């Protein structure tokens, strides 16, 4: 089959090629000159900004304050928490020279900021009256990854990292689950990704955490994307950095700390959850342009059509719709339609002289309804606001249906391997790391999480028949 040079490899043929072509052709990102880095172009950065603004509001609404910590961290800091340094050592980028001289102590480019923030928490917390300390920072971090992939795993990426200190375990656990809930809501409500919230098994925990929780989304190739994680750190970092407070009886106690992060990775999740063979499909809440208007007129009628389009765009903007007029000359309407489909714009309006005379415009949606429908210009803002809401809900429901039809409850090894070949398996597991490793080497599947809402269930491991360790089913799948 001949392929338009502006088209992309079909998902069914090669999902990975599809992804790499879409992120480039939709003008979201470009590879950076240093290995594994990415340049986020304005269209891709706008998606991140929309996500960031919403998440930032929710972080503040739950009582946190933003601060900023340095990206250069003394290497010795990371060594203070044994599991933390062991987990991050292979991914560290280290500055050994600066100002033309070798440094007395190497500095690491932050892979995450528990250590430097822990050091500051120790200064700022002295009494129970200083607790809870609820901090967040928006920052870039650097992790030297072996294999990189735009948005999903890059040497440098953007994220927020929350860091909190509490008087006891109960409060810190409540915080860890509160932020997991925030991540679930952002994923569902903004990105239209129906993520599954759950706890990580010990082998998948964050380095230095007592408990790690995750939200996992299913991509259209059936693989899982870890879309945000929250960690209860116990007193591990409080011990390493002496974060302590005097309680109301005047005795010193260690704080219980948490950390949690969501990153530009979620933009990759949006692409792989909703995109199709025509390119990107953006949920309206994250679309830089929710509606693109293409004026269609030549010669003497062109100006009248353009005037009417501008007047309509102004009314849509007033109604709160992000609207863009594509009035580029010398490009055919067909070319523009293809380009905006590739770039995932939810709604397109076409207006020509005949539409104008009839007081209408032609509405084409990126997905769902086939064909175009005429809408009245008078009531266009209300019509489009409703249509955008419907489109957002449609994408979420479509993703839920896809996930459900690609997830199976499995009791035998045969059922399990069949399920993880195309999606996810719910299975009982013994909890042994060696058994997880065997499953991974045979099927490439890993335990994604123990879903919070899984029902209690007794039984034996799907792989080795040893007793189930968690008393409920674990979600397994191949993952990014
Ligand atoms: Zn087992």
């Amino acid at each position: 089959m001949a392929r338009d040079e502006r088209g992309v490899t079909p998902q069914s043929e090669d999902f990975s090629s599809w992804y790499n072509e879409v992120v480039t052709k939709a003008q979201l990102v470009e590879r950076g000159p240093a290995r594994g880095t990415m340049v986020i172009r304005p269209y891709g950065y706008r998606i991140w900004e929309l996500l960031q603004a919403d998440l930032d509001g929710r972080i503040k609404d739950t009582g946190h304050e933003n601060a900023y910590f340095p990206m250069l961290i003394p290497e010795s800091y990371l060594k203070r928490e044994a599991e933390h340094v062991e987990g991050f050592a292979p991914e560290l980028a280290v500055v050994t020279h600066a100002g033309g001289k070798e440094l007395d102590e190497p500095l690491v480019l932050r892979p995450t900021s528990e250590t430097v923030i822990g050091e500051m928490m120790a200064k700022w917390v002295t009494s129970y009256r200083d607790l809870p300390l609820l901090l967040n920072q928006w920052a870039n971090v650097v992790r030297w990854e072996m294999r990189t992939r735009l948005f999903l795993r890059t040497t440098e990426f953007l994220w927020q990292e929350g860091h909190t200190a509490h008087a006891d375990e109960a409060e810190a656990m409540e915080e860890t689950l509160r932020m997991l809930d925030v991540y679930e809501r952002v994923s569902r409500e903004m990105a239209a990704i129906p993520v599954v919230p759950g706890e990580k098994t010990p082998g998948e925990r964050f380095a230095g955490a007592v408990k790690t929780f995750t939200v996992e989304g299913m991509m259209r190739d059936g693989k899982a994307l870890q879309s945000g994680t929250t960690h209860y750190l116990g007193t591990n970092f409080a011990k390493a950095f002496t974060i302590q407070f005097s309680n109301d009886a005047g005795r010193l106690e260690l704080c219980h700390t948490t950390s949690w992060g969501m990153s530009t990775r979620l933009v990759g999740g949006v692409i792989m959850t909703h995109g199709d063979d025509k390119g990107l499909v953006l949920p309206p809440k994250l679309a830089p342009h929710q509606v693109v208007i293409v004026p269609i007129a030549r010669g003497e009628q062109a100006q009248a059509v353009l005037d009417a389009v501008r007047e309509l765009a102004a009314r849509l903007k007033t109604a709160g719709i992000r609207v863009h007029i594509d009035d580029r000359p010398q490009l055919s309407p067909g070319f523009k339609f293809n380009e905006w489909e590739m770039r995932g714009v939810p709604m397109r309006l076409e207006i020509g002289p005949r539409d104008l005379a009839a007081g209408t415009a032609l509405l084409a949606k990126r997905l769902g309804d086939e064909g175009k429908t005429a809408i009245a210009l008078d009531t266009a803002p209300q019509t489009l606001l409703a249509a955008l809401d419907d489109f957002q809900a449609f994408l979420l429901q479509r993703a839920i249906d896809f996930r459900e039809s690609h997830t199976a409850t499995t009791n035998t090894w045969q059922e399990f391997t069949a399920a993880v070949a195309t999606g996810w398996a719910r299975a009982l597991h013994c909890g042994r790391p060696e058994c997880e490793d065997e499953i991974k080497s045979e099927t490439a599947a890993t335990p994604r999480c123990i879903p919070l809402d899984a029902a209690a269930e007794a039984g034996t491991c799907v792989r080795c028949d040893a007793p189930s360790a968690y008393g409920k089913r674990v979600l397994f799948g191949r993952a990014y």
Side-chain angles (χ1 to χ4, degrees), residues 90-110:
E91 299 177 6
L92 290 182
V94 185
V95 180
T96 57
H97 290 72
K101 284 188 286 193
E102 186 169 349
L103 296 173
D104 292 338
E105 181 183 355
L107 300 169
V108 302
L109 298 179
R110 65 177 161 225

Side-chain angles (χ1 to χ4, degrees), residues 198-217:
E199 186 176 349
K200 286 288 189 190
T201 59
E204 298 270 324
R205 262 181 215 145
F206 176 75
V210 174
K211 282 175 183 276
T212 287
F213 296 85
T214 178
V215 287
E216 300 278 328

Side-chain angles (χ1 to χ4, degrees), residues 168-241:
D168 58 34
E169 174 173 353
E171 270 187 34
M173 272 304 298
E174 194 183 318
E175 164 78 5
T176 308
L177 292 172
R178 179 183 303 121
M179 298 324 289
L180 189 71
D181 184 55
V182 165
Y183 289 162
E184 188 198 351
R185 286 167 190 269
V186 167
S187 304
R188 289 180 75 97
E189 294 168 14
M190 296 297 289
I193 304 177
V195 291
V196 175
E199 186 176 349
K200 286 288 189 190
T201 59
E204 298 270 324
R205 262 181 215 145
F206 176 75
V210 174
K211 282 175 183 276
T212 287
F213 296 85
T214 178
V215 287
E216 300 278 328
M218 182 186 278
M219 307 295 104
R220 288 192 76 77
D221 59 354
K223 286 196 196 173
L225 185 77
Q226 179 180 300
S227 306
T229 50
T230 71
H231 317 289
Y232 167 58
L233 304 170
T235 54
N236 293 344
F237 285 85
K239 271 182 212 142
F241 290 89

Side-chain angles (χ1 to χ4, degrees), residues 429-430 432 435 461 463-464:
H429 190 259
C430 63
R432 291 184 305 120
C435 186
C461 177
R463 168 69 191 161
C464 72

